[in-house]
Amino acid sequence: MPPTPPPKNLGAFLALARKSLTAPASQRQTPLTFVIGNESADLDSLCSAVVFAYLRSHAKPKYTLHIPLANIPREDLPLRPELSATLRRAGVKAEELLTLSDLEDVIETHGLEPEDTRWLLVDHNALTGKLGERFGSRVVGCVDHHEDENMVAQDTGDEPRVLRKTGSCMSLVVEYCRDAWESLSTSGSNEEGDADVEAQLARVALGPIVIDTNNLKSKAKTTDTDIKVVEFLEAKTGEEKHDRKKYFKELSKLKEDISQFSYRDNFRKDFKSWTEAGLVLGTSSVPQGFRYMLDTIGDKDTMLSELRKFAEDKNLDIACIMTSSAKDDGVFKRNLLVWALNEKAVKAVEKFVEMQRETLGLEKFHHMDLDGGDGKQEVRYAWNQHETKNSRKQLAPMLRSAMREAAKL
């Protein structure tokens, strides 16, 4: 019997993915193919995993089921109201996504050996943390717009190894899966609601692109690929003129409303970590500046004590907060705080300052003195970052390079 495609309805597709993952080992189709975004689990990572898994599962002739996995525990889903608003365009709730909690339940209940899995990465190209330790050798491909970590084999056979600069990873996902997308409308299926499937999927895909490119207005981030993919997606929405500006404003407002969350929630919402030269670097990206955080979430002592606790829980040697905001006067701004928590980390942070102060246009944050440490066992710097084109995509490699250089001293 020839393979059959999965359901077109996105909710039904996610239900099938859940059923396949949670089936007893004796009834499980192996290997299971997972699609997962990076550990920051922002809108781009989460939606790219869903859309890529969906389209690859509908790719002829094999129709291999790809299981999208959110790279966060289930308890972290409510921290992302912009995700719920995006998925709602396809009649799906965030709670329908599979998360690390579901994967852990399966491993504990039924068992899941690495050799019974295959992993495709979107919005990153190195599987990190516990997932990397357990399943890193099972990565078979990636679609990503970050710096190449050289962890994915150069020859991935029939699987993608796409690494190219774009504003949003979703743009690369849609571009790579274009044939599978086009085949949706010619598959001959007559499932209920088929007429809306492409429009719903297009709206989900548009969400992260408009957020990550500032509605295609960011000159530093927007590429021709982003623009072309948005044109393709808007044509699929079924609307004569898709109101992209309205969509962008809705998602931006939800993403930027961090006042409802504690410092800890904000630190963990968009968090990524790396190990370099024996040190662990953790970066939290926050869509509001320090001034807003201090005025609405908690005072200086609360902020710093919560950051220290968070760093201890994550076993960090260097804790970093990177902000982006245009709240005060409409001008885009960035703040940066870097906190070295031991002697070896201090050397790395001082090397970072030496190497990148001018490149990043770092100026002491004057609204409130957040600097601290004795300069030997700890040091903490907080800056206004005037070279705003440099986001975490650039800052993290800069910090990691300084960590490597300091280790040579």
Side-chain angles (χ1 to χ4, degrees):
M1 181 181 295
T4 56
K8 276 192 175 182
N9 177 274
L10 185 57
F13 166 75
L14 292 173
L16 176 62
R18 179 176 296 278
K19 181 179 179 181
S20 299
L21 174 61
T22 58
S26 60
Q27 301 173 26
R28 182 187 295 152
Q29 295 288 326
T30 56
L32 293 179
T33 300
F34 292 96
V35 180
I36 190 166
N38 66 50
E39 64 181 319
S40 75
D42 62 3
L43 192 65
D44 196 22
S45 272
L46 293 166
C47 291
S48 289
V50 170
V51 172
F52 185 78
Y54 177 91
L55 291 172
R56 288 280 283 181
S57 297
H58 285 86
K60 300 176 181 178
K62 295 182 179 180
Y63 298 117
T64 301
L65 180 66
H66 288 55
I67 299 172
L69 198 63
N71 200 347
I72 47 172
R74 179 158 297 279
E75 64 184 18
D76 283 5
L77 286 174
L79 299 179
R80 294 158 173 80
E82 67 275 18
L83 172 65
S84 295
T86 303
L87 293 178
R88 190 166 60 242
R89 264 69 182 182
V92 171
K93 297 179 180 179
E95 296 76 35
E96 295 177 58
L97 298 183
L98 288 162
T99 68
L100 296 182
S101 303
D102 298 293
L103 179 65
E104 290 170 5
D105 287 345
V106 167
I107 292 173
E108 291 178 7
T109 305
H110 302 301
L112 183 63
E113 296 301 320
E115 56 267 28
D116 292 330
T117 68
R118 302 168 71 252
W119 294 76
L120 286 154
L121 312 182
V122 291
D123 205 21
H124 61 150
N125 60 87
L127 201 57
T128 59
K130 293 181 179 179
L131 276 182
E133 293 172 8
R134 185 177 179 90
F135 299 107
S137 64
R138 305 301 298 171
V139 173
V140 296
C142 67
V143 178
D144 186 27
H145 62 153
H146 293 89
E147 182 177 308
D148 191 352
E149 301 274 355
N150 293 307
M151 297 297 288
V152 177
Q154 292 296 318
D155 183 1
T156 54
D158 294 335
E159 300 296 350
R161 192 183 195 280
V162 178
L163 287 151
R164 196 168 84 244
K165 179 186 176 183
T166 50
S168 171
C169 181
M170 180 65 80
S171 298
L172 296 176
V173 165
V174 174
E175 180 186 65
Y176 183 82
C177 297
R178 182 79 172 259
D179 289 345
W181 192 310
E182 296 289 15
S183 71
L184 288 175
S185 57
T186 60
S187 65
S189 168
N190 291 308
E191 295 174 27
E192 184 179 351
D194 270 4
D196 296 329
V197 166
E198 285 192 80
Q200 292 174 345
L201 197 65
R203 294 185 189 110
V204 170
L206 278 166
I209 302 177
V210 298
I211 284 293
D212 284 356
T213 64
N214 192 30
N215 198 19
L216 300 183
K217 292 181 179 179
S218 171
K219 294 180 180 179
K221 293 184 177 181
T222 307
T223 66
D224 288 343
T225 301
D226 298 302
I227 294 170
K228 290 176 182 176
V229 168
V230 165
E231 290 174 354
F232 169 78
L233 293 173
E234 289 189 323
K236 296 290 185 181
T237 62
E239 302 171 25
E240 186 173 336
K241 184 173 176 56
H242 175 67
D243 195 340
R244 191 173 72 237
K245 184 177 181 180
K246 181 180 179 181
Y247 191 18
F248 169 69
K249 285 186 173 181
E250 177 191 349
L251 296 183
S252 295
K253 184 177 180 180
L254 289 168
K255 181 182 178 182
E256 292 169 5
D257 182 14
I258 66 171
S259 61
Q260 60 185 306
F261 303 124
S262 67
Y263 272 121
R264 179 176 178 79
D265 286 344
N266 278 295
F267 296 153
R268 68 190 178 96
K269 178 182 177 181
D270 191 347
F271 173 79
K272 295 179 77 172
S273 65
W274 295 266
T275 299
E276 201 75 61
L279 295 173
V280 180
L281 164 69
T283 64
S284 297
S285 181
V286 182
Q288 292 289 359
F290 292 154
R291 188 168 182 172
Y292 177 95
M293 295 163 69
L294 292 163
D295 289 345
T296 61
I297 302 175
D299 60 17
K300 170 184 172 179
D301 290 342
T302 303
M303 177 184 180
L304 295 178
S305 65
E306 287 299 308
L307 181 56
R308 182 184 288 278
K309 290 177 186 176
F310 181 75
E312 290 173 352
D313 288 347
K314 294 290 186 180
N315 296 313
L316 303 182
D317 299 293
I318 302 173
C320 180
I321 304 174
M322 305 171 177
T323 81
S324 57
S325 174
K327 271 289 179 187
D328 295 335
D329 52 14
V331 178
F332 186 72
K333 298 181 177 71
R334 289 191 187 276
N335 296 137
L336 176 64
L337 184 148
V338 181
W339 193 348
L341 295 158
N342 55 57
E343 184 177 356
K344 188 177 178 182
V346 168
K347 293 178 181 178
V349 168
E350 296 294 3
K351 175 58 70 172
F352 166 75
V353 176
E354 175 191 327
M355 295 170 65
Q356 306 297 348
R357 181 191 291 274
E358 291 187 11
T359 303
L360 295 172
L362 299 179
E363 175 196 33
K364 182 180 172 68
F365 179 70
H366 293 297
H367 176 68
M368 184 176 292
D369 188 5
L370 297 176
D371 291 1
D374 59 10
K376 295 181 179 180
Q377 295 300 320
E378 283 193 17
V379 70
R380 182 178 63 249
Y381 295 113
W383 299 284
N384 294 316
Q385 179 191 321
H386 293 296
E387 289 297 329
T388 57
K389 66 179 181 293
N390 293 293
S391 66
R392 180 161 56 189
K393 288 186 185 68
Q394 292 77 38
L395 280 163
M398 289 177 182
L399 280 159
R400 293 170 66 190
S401 175
M403 291 158 73
R404 290 192 297 270
E405 290 301 314
K408 298 175 184 177
L409 300 177

